[in-house]
């Protein structure tokens, strides 16, 4: 294999912009952290090759990336370690990190914040680059390089042995740094002395990220979130909040005045870190954790902070070598330059003056990003003319789906939309101004585009004299749109109003119809966090201007392995088998298709109820049906299995006379409980019989079963709506919303059956998440005018 980076390395280059005084002051990111890219790269290499190849993809900190990758693979149980290897790795990590720290201080600091009369000390810079690359050196050679570097730095940087300098720092860090920078003749000390006034003026609140050594349980949870939540790589959180990692958060810094929040202390901590690396063998720590079957976490402390990798491998057979199936990493830059972090908060509150811009560059230098970074001043967007919106992120004309609402909303609201298919909107009176589609907010660029849209829509509101009274967002606390909404609301001095996902879906239709009367809504989709914190997606609601009520839900189905089940529909079908009391069939049914190990693992998880959270999602029921018939066991794209199921059903219906549908429609396999729960488990029983891999495949019977699932589900939903609604609803109006109603076959049958019962149907051309912001705005506007909570009791709550 060539030592040159893979072609995808060209896509890894990222950048950051610090915009002083902006609501969204940290913009940009790194495509390497996008979901799927690392999976694709890792699949090209063997487990032995991957760590070195991964290290080559990074211009900076490549050795630490390789080490963290090796440790993550150790955690999966697919590789082994030795004591000799561990001793060499520890020394290598210290020496490489020392060289990186030295280069930052000697070369990068003066370039980022130039000071008159100061030039880099080239002798020190040369010491950061030994003749024999450390990665190629033996253990004895590494120790010799470390001793040589220690001697040189004691003379030309510290002015004393590194251990003595460190001892003074740990006693009185701020005072010692001032004394040393004033008296020392080293270029680093003189630079620090020159920037001291600015460094002392900038204070960033600390929220320290611990290490897996100090909080293994917390990092086991973080590792699972990193693996299963694409947003965690790019917008990391520790117990729901941003945190900081770096030299100032090392374990040995415990005596280093953690209460000092200045850049002065942070810059001094980096010098102290170099002294500790030279004098303390335990200064940089590393290790691995086993997160579960074939899943491992590797971590190491490197120049910028804590680096975390998570790997998941697959073993096709006991004899075959394992292969990497999923790979994630979390780097210090995403923690330290978090859009909700301490730096972002300081940038929002800082005026874009000459002093403000200079101090912002110094703050970036202290936190040390590993990507290209520029500092900008927030500029007032140009005023729109002739009714046009500035830039390309906001539509000049009203949205085609809601150009002018039939009824004006009672408050002006900015709504930031859904996590998937994100679009934001500003609703002022009866006018709706939509942003362009940003895509899924698991992607860095989508988040950047949403930030830009918010800045532009605020400029529009000011230009047209619209006073925004609230900012609406999804109920989920970890979504990027939620965090941006909270920041924006704080800046505007208005409330941020969370809106439950399916409540917003139904509210879209009420806004478009101009309705304010209580309306029954059927919301079917893949996922939305419920008011109880669980995964919802098959909801029957009652909504009006004072709030909402959950009338019922689809019966919960287990999600074996959590979010990963949405990518592997066979897991949902296995969950259905387990729910039917047929868990013993899981292994023989799917071993040949997915591997015996995977099938046994899922069967055991279901039997023990381990990592099998429940969901009422209609989308997951479609996944289970598609997998039960053998149409899709895995899917790469959202709704891929559901589309295959619909196409199979439609093709069969197109080949048969209409009278056959009536025969299918006569079969009722659903059950409705007294508490409003609709159980559709019975709809899967005939599908599971036909899709059995050991049975002879009958394509006509499979097509008929797919059609029967759609039509029987439409019957069940209609019966559910009719029997669960409050007595004597006047008028009988039902809103159909959620991404599952993109399925034309299901939508047409539900509408026809409801109409036969005398119902009036509210529907929209875009029932999915792309229009969710309008529903959020509708709910928030009535929340503002009613001055009350926007949630009525959940009838299913205990």
């Amino acid at each position: 294999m060539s030592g040159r980076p893979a072609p995808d390395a060209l896509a890894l280059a990222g950048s950051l912009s610090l915009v002083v005084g902006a609501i969204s002051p940290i913009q940009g990111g790194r495509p390497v952290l996008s979901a799927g890219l690392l999976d694709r790269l890792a699949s090209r290499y063997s487990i032995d090759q991957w760590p070195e190849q991964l290290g080559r993809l990074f211009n900076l900190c490549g050795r630490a990336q390789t080490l963290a990758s090796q440790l993550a693979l150790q955690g999966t149980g697919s590789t082994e370690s030795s004591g000799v290897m561990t001793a060499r790795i520890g020394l290598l990590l210290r020496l490489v990190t020392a060289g990186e720290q030295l280069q930052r201080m000697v070369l990068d600091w003066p370039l980022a914040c130039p000071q008159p009369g100061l030039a880099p000390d080239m002798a020190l810079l040369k010491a950061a680059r030994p003749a024999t690359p450390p990665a190629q050196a033996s253990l004895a050679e590494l120790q010799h390089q470390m001793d040589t570097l220690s001697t040189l730095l004691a003379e030309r940087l510290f002015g004393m042995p590194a251990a003595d300098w460190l001892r003074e720092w740990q006693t009185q860090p701020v005072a010692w740094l001032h004394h040393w920078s004033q008296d020392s003749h080293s270029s680093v000390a003189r630079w620090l002395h020159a920037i001291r006034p600015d460094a002392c003026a900038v204070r960033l609140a600390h929220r320290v990220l611990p290490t897996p050594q100090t909080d293994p349980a917390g990092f086991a949870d973080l590792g699972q979130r990193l693996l299963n939540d694409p947003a965690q790589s790019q917008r990391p959180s520790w117990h729901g909040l941003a945190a900081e990692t770096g030299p100032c958060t090392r374990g040995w810094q415990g005596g280093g005045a953690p209460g000092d929040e200045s850049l002065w202390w942070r810059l001094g901590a980096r010098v102290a870190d170099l002294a500790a690396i030279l004098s303390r063998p335990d200064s940089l720590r590393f290790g691995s954790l086993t997160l579960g079957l074939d899943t491992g976490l590797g971590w190491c402390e490197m120049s910028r902070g804590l680096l975390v990798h998570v790997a998941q491998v697959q073993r096709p057979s006991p004899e075959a070598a394992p292969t990497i199936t999923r790979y994630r990493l979390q780097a210090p830059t995403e923690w330290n330059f978090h859009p909700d972090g301490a730096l972002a908060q300081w940038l929002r509150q800082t005026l874009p003056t000459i002093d403000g811009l200079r101090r912002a560059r110094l703050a970036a230098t202290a936190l040390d990003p590993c990507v290209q970074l520029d500092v900008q001043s927030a500029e007032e967007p140009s005023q729109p003319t002739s009714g046009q919106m500035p830039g390309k992120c906001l539509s000049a004309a009203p949205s085609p789906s809601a150009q002018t609402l039939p009824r004006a909303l009672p408050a002006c609201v900015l709504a930031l939309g859904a996590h998937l298919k994100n679009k934001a909107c500003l609703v002022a009176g009866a006018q709706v101004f939509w942003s362009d589609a940003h895509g899924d907010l698991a992607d860095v660029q989508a988040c950047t585009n949403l930030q830009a849209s918010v800045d532009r829509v605020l400029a529009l509101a000011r230009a047209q004299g619209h006073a925004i009274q609230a900012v609406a967002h999804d109920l989920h606390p970890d979504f990027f749109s939620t965090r941006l909404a909270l920041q924006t609301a704080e800046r505007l001095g208005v409330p941020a109003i969370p809106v439950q996902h399916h409540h917003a879906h139904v509210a879209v239709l009420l806004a478009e119809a101009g309705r304010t009367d209580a309306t029954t809504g059927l919301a079917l989709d893949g996922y939305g966090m419920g008011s109880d914190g669980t995964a919802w997606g098959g909801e029957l609601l009652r909504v009006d201007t004072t709030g909402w009520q959950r009338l019922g839900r689809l019966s919960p189905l287990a999600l074996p392995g959590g979010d990963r089940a949405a990518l592997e529909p066979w897991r949902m079908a296995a969950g259905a088998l387990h729910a039917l009391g047929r868990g013993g069939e899981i292994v023989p049914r799917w071993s040949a298709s997915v591997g015996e190990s995977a099938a046994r693992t899922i069967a055991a998880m279901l039997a023990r109820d381990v990592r099998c959270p429940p969901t009422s999602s209609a989308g997951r029921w479609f996944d289970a049906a598609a997998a039960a018939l053998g149409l899709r066991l895995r899917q790469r794209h959202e709704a891929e299995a559901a589309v295959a199921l619909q196409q199979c059903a439609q093709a069969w219906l197109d080949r048969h006379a209409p009278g056959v549908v009536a025969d299918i429609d006569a079969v009722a396999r659903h059950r409705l409980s007294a508490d409003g729960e609709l159980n559709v488990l019975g709809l899967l029983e005939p599908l599971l019989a036909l899709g059995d891999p050991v049975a002879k495949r009958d394509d006509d019977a499979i097509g008929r079963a797919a059609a029967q699932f759609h039509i029987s589900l439409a019957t069940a939903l209609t019966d559910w709506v009719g029997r669960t609604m409050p007595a004597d609803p006047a008028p009988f109006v039902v809103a159909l919303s959620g991404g599952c109603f993109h399925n034309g076959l299901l939508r047409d049958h539900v509408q026809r059956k409801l109409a036969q019962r005398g119902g009036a149907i509210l529907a929209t051309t875009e029932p999915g998440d792309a229009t969710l912001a309008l529903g959020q705005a509708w709910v928030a506007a009535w929340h503002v005018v009613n001055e009350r909570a926007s949630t009525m009791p959940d009838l299913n709550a205990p």
Side-chain angles (χ1 to χ4, degrees):
M1 183 67 69
S2 169
R4 298 177 58 192
D8 290 273
L10 298 175
L12 299 183
S15 63
L16 289 173
S17 293
L18 305 188
V19 188
V20 182
I23 289 179
S24 304
I26 300 181
Q27 301 176 7
R30 292 191 289 171
V32 67
L33 301 179
S34 298
L37 178 56
L38 286 175
D39 294 345
R40 189 167 71 251
L41 291 172
S43 67
R44 300 178 182 179
Y45 301 99
S46 70
I47 281 182
D48 293 334
Q49 294 171 328
W50 171 242
E52 291 293 339
Q53 292 296 331
L54 179 61
R56 292 188 180 121
L57 294 177
F58 292 85
N59 291 328
L60 303 174
C61 307
R63 180 48 48 188
Q65 299 285 356
T66 294
L67 172 58
S69 181
Q70 292 169 336
L71 292 166
L73 292 171
Q74 282 183 26
T76 69
S78 57
T79 62
E80 297 180 356
S81 63
S82 69
V84 174
M85 174 186 175
T86 300
R88 183 181 180 279
I89 283 176
L91 187 54
L92 175 61
L93 179 63
R94 289 171 56 211
L95 188 60
V96 169
T97 304
E100 291 173 350
Q101 295 286 39
L102 189 56
Q103 180 166 318
R104 299 294 170 273
M105 297 174 203
V106 174
L107 184 63
D108 296 346
W109 285 5
L111 289 176
C113 301
Q115 301 300 316
L118 291 182
D121 185 334
M122 300 310 295
L124 285 177
L125 194 59
K126 184 178 179 180
R129 302 165 182 169
T132 302
Q136 300 172 14
S138 67
L139 181 60
E141 289 173 325
L142 287 174
Q143 188 60 59
H144 177 70
Q145 290 181 6
M146 179 66 78
D147 294 341
T148 302
L149 183 61
S150 298
T151 301
L152 178 66
L153 296 188
E155 177 184 348
R156 299 187 66 99
L157 176 63
F158 298 115
M160 62 187 72
D164 293 346
W165 195 100
L166 183 63
R167 191 177 305 110
E168 296 287 351
W169 162 267
Q170 290 182 306
T171 303
Q172 289 185 308
V174 174
W176 166 246
L177 187 63
H178 175 56
H179 172 76
W180 174 74
S181 67
Q182 194 170 26
D183 293 348
S184 174
H185 296 294
S186 77
S187 63
V188 174
R190 287 185 291 129
W191 181 86
L192 283 167
H193 182 69
I195 58 88
R196 182 174 180 270
D198 281 338
C200 291
V202 179
R203 308 186 73 81
L204 307 178
H206 276 291
R207 188 169 191 272
V208 174
L209 180 71
T211 69
Q213 192 172 42
T214 57
D215 190 353
F219 270 85
D221 176 68
L222 184 142
Q224 293 293 352
R225 285 190 290 117
L226 184 59
L227 192 65
N228 297 310
D229 181 2
Q232 180 68 20
S233 292
Q234 301 153 347
R235 296 291 188 271
S237 64
W238 180 257
H239 299 307
L241 297 172
E244 180 179 345
T245 182
C248 65
T249 68
R250 306 272 201 234
W252 64 263
Q253 286 272 21
D260 193 304
E261 299 178 342
S262 68
L263 295 184
W264 179 247
W265 185 77
R266 284 174 168 84
L267 290 164
R270 194 169 293 274
V271 182
D273 191 53
L274 178 56
I277 291 170
L278 297 174
S279 59
R280 294 181 54 153
D282 64 345
S283 55
L284 297 176
R285 300 177 182 181
F286 54 91
S288 65
L289 298 173
T290 298
L291 302 183
L293 182 66
D294 296 334
T295 305
L297 180 149
W299 62 277
C300 70
E301 293 180 316
M302 35 86 85
S303 61
R304 291 173 172 85
L306 184 70
L307 179 65
V308 176
H309 285 222
V310 177
Q312 190 167 70
V313 301
Q314 184 177 32
R315 305 171 192 271
S317 68
E319 298 79 18
T323 58
I324 301 171
T325 56
R326 303 174 77 194
Y327 204 92
R328 303 289 184 270
L329 70 83
Q330 192 156 73
T333 295
E334 279 60 47
W335 287 107
N336 297 335
F337 290 82
H338 196 292
D340 296 336
L343 176 61
Q345 183 178 354
W346 179 84
L347 289 167
R348 288 188 201 99
Q349 298 170 351
T350 300
L351 294 175
T353 61
I354 294 176
D355 287 346
L357 294 173
R358 185 180 66 251
R359 289 169 179 173
R361 283 189 288 271
L362 183 60
T365 301
L367 294 177
D368 194 16
C370 58
V371 296
Q372 181 179 346
L373 182 142
D374 65 277
V375 177
Q376 305 172 11
S377 171
E379 297 178 358
E380 189 71 15
S382 58
Q383 299 295 323
T385 59
S386 303
Q388 292 187 347
M389 296 284 290
K392 67 178 184 178
C393 285
L394 281 172
S395 175
S399 165
S401 64
Q403 295 184 4
T404 301
L405 299 178
R407 180 176 185 145
L409 297 191
C412 180
V413 176
L414 170 64
L416 297 198
H419 184 69
L420 303 179
K421 302 180 180 65
N422 178 267
K423 290 175 72 175
C425 75
L426 171 71
V427 182
Q431 195 71 42
V432 183
F433 298 97
W434 283 98
S435 73
D436 288 340
H438 302 123
D440 298 351
L441 296 183
D443 180 73
V444 169
Q445 189 59 51
C447 296
T448 300
N449 291 343
L450 175 58
Q451 289 176 323
S453 289
V454 168
D455 288 338
R456 291 187 176 102
V457 80
L458 292 175
L460 172 75
R462 289 193 297 270
Q464 298 194 357
H466 300 308
I468 296 175
Q469 296 167 266
V471 181
H473 60 88
D474 193 90
L475 186 63
H476 200 300
D478 292 334
F479 285 169
F480 172 76
S481 55
T482 297
R483 298 195 292 268
L484 182 58
L486 294 174
Q487 295 168 7
T488 305
E490 181 180 7
R491 179 70 175 265
L492 297 175
V494 300
I497 299 176
V499 182
Q500 199 278 325
H501 186 86
H502 304 96
H503 183 192
H505 265 311
V506 177
V508 170
L509 295 159
L510 301 187
E512 292 182 351
R515 282 185 62 83
T516 56
D517 294 334
T519 303
T520 297
L522 186 58
L524 308 179
D525 64 4
Y527 170 77
M529 193 179 84
S531 56
D532 58 0
T534 63
W536 290 12
E539 312 305 317
L540 189 62
L541 309 179
R542 189 76 167 161
V543 176
D544 65 17
T545 59
T546 65
W548 63 286
Q549 187 179 34
R550 193 186 195 194
L551 302 176
R553 65 174 182 179
L554 290 180
S555 55
L557 191 60
L559 280 167
D563 291 342
R564 188 168 179 182
L567 300 175
E568 300 184 13
W570 74 270
R571 295 186 181 218
M572 300 308 304
L577 268 179
H578 175 77
L580 288 166
R582 297 163 56 184
E585 300 177 26
I586 294 174
V587 173
R589 183 186 185 97
W590 279 297
S591 287
S593 302
V594 304
E596 183 178 352
S597 175
R600 289 192 180 278
T601 297
I602 295 304
M605 290 168 62
L606 287 163
R608 300 169 186 168
D609 193 21
V610 174
R611 293 189 61 217
C612 294
T615 178
S616 59
S617 166
R620 300 292 78 80
W621 282 101
F622 274 95
D623 288 349
L629 289 174
L631 298 175
R632 286 290 187 280
L633 300 186
R634 295 183 173 88
Q635 57 185 358
R636 293 186 177 181
H637 310 292
E638 181 189 11
E640 185 179 335
V643 169
L645 183 70
Q646 178 191 352
Q647 291 174 340
C648 180
Q650 190 63 61
W652 187 88
L653 290 169
D654 291 344
R655 296 194 303 267
H656 292 79
V660 179
V661 176
D663 179 49
I664 291 177
D665 209 2
V667 179
R669 298 179 179 273
H670 63 276
R671 299 195 309 275
L672 185 62
S673 65
D675 62 0
E677 183 173 290
L678 175 63
N679 190 322
V680 294
L681 189 60
L683 276 61
L684 294 182
E685 290 190 272
L687 281 66
L688 287 164
L690 285 170
D692 192 332
V694 301
K696 182 178 179 180
R697 184 176 177 86
D698 185 338
D699 289 337
D700 185 73
I702 288 174
R704 177 188 173 94
Q708 182 174 354
F709 177 81
H710 280 81
I711 297 170
S712 297
L713 181 59
T715 300
L717 294 171
T718 304
D719 189 28
W720 190 31
V721 170
R723 290 173 54 190
T724 312
M725 283 196 309
D728 301 322
F732 176 15
V733 178
V734 183
L736 305 181
S737 61
C740 288
F741 283 110
H742 279 301
N743 184 323
L745 182 58
L746 176 71
R747 181 184 64 245
D748 292 347
H749 279 277
V750 170
Q751 289 182 348
R752 187 179 305 119
K753 292 175 182 296
L754 286 171
Q756 289 171 353
R757 297 195 182 194
I761 311 301
L762 297 182
T764 179
T765 56
E766 176 45 72
D769 286 356
T771 58
L772 197 76
L774 177 58
Q776 293 173 343
W778 188 91
V779 172
W782 286 107
H783 173 104
V784 170
V785 76
N786 291 330
E787 296 184 348
R788 57 168 289 171
S790 59
T791 306
M792 293 193 297
D794 177 352
L795 293 185
N796 292 326

